[in-house]
Amino acid sequence: MSGGVVIIGGSGHLGSRIVQSWLSETDMPITIITRAESEASFTNDARISVHKGDYTSVAFLKEAMTGQSVLVCAMGLTATPESVELVYKTAAAVGVKWIIPQGWGNDWQNPRLAARVPPMSAAKASRSMITELGIPYTGFITNPWLDWNISSGLFSIDVASRKATLYTGAVTRFNTTTLSQVGLAVVRFVRQLLQPGPDFKIEDYRDREVYISSFLLTQKELLEAVQQATNTTAGDWKVETQDVQAYIRDGESLMSQGQFMKGLFQVLFGCLYSEGFGGDYESDKGVNNAVLGLPQEDLVLELRKAIKG
Ligand SMILES: NC(=O)c1ccc[n+]([C@@H]2O[C@H](COP(=O)([O-])OP(=O)(O)OC[C@H]3O[C@@H](n4cnc5c(N)ncnc54)[C@H](OP(=O)(O)O)[C@@H]3O)[C@@H](O)[C@H]2O)c1
């Protein structure tokens, strides 16, 4: 596939890792689209060209995407569905050949998860839209990012106050991926799209999800690794337990009582730990780490880096 790569949201948690990996893994140029109001700055590298402008302007988006073959979408959660849609439509209008869409999370294709977490349907809808626009896509299923979610406390492990809640009941292992692993996976994949190796069959990746992972573990194993990473012992922590179904039900109540995001994360993480909701996609579907040559990472080391910030 000839042409270049353009990323939108390239200054974000994920986008910056993709750009960083792109620069270290390839010698090809990269185009970054950034909002007019953005205060982001980018590495001073001759291979980066930045287009700053108004995301409601089709003319701006066209100018920024023309001549590009692959579009990587890594816009923040606050990007409206309308603006994401306009980006996809404009990509189609200027002849972008492949889209790596928004998503970057849990396995929206798991029917039980999709039924329990209504926003999961957005991933399905956006992929259908891209297909209707006539562009192939490849999505990335990463589950919660290890480092981002340890920092945010969403695993119910509060590093600063050394408090944790472990969920009980029908719980299981789950996959989690570091941001650097996601960044590397995207770069290795896009490089294959642009310069396919002898074993890479582009059609194998058309209109489907790629599953990647850094670790497959239980929440308890994660807590133990955090204790190792912080040079603490179980005795230094206050650990409570809660039934996972009660945690999910609490989340659903919060969602319907005006605390939508808080409740949503609770439901999402409760489902992550629960059997049958696709949290362990590695056992169900396998992961694509090997084909992308992703490295084996060290859990405690990655946690130390995340906690240090
Ligand atoms: N798996 C996980 O654990 C996890 C966690 C968080 C997010 N996610 C997913 O990954 C995607 C990227 O997340 P992220 O944390 O990297 O995002 P982020 O850092 O919050 O934002 C990424 C970039 O998007 C641009 N942006 C910010 N607000 C925007 C808006 N309202 N409209 C359009 N662009 C906007 C900004 O770039 P400029 O300033 O350069 O314009 C920002 O640097 C999210 O959409 C979400 O779906 C997954």
Side-chain angles (χ1 to χ4, degrees), residues 8-16 32-40 42 55 73-80 83 102-106 142-146 148-149 179 265 269:
I8 185 160
S11 64
H13 301 108
L14 173 62
S16 60
I32 301 175
I33 304 178
T34 182
R35 292 162 304 152
E37 67 272 31
S38 175
E39 292 177 359
F42 299 95
Y55 286 13
C73 294
M75 287 186 272
L77 273 173
T78 54
T80 61
S83 71
Q102 293 281 107
W104 314 106
N106 300 49
T142 67
N143 258 359
W145 304 330
L146 176 80
W148 192 88
N149 288 287
L179 273 163
F265 282 125
F269 278 76

Side-chain angles (χ1 to χ4, degrees), residues 106 113 116-118 244 247-255 260-274 277:
N106 300 49
L113 182 70
R116 207 76 193 247
V117 185
V244 74
Y247 185 57
I248 293 173
R249 281 196 303 274
D250 281 355
E252 286 168 340
S253 302
L254 289 170
M255 283 170 75
F260 186 81
M261 287 311 283
K262 185 171 183 225
L264 176 64
F265 282 125
Q266 209 166 303
V267 176
L268 202 57
F269 278 76
C271 288
L272 179 76
Y273 311 133
S274 298
F277 287 83

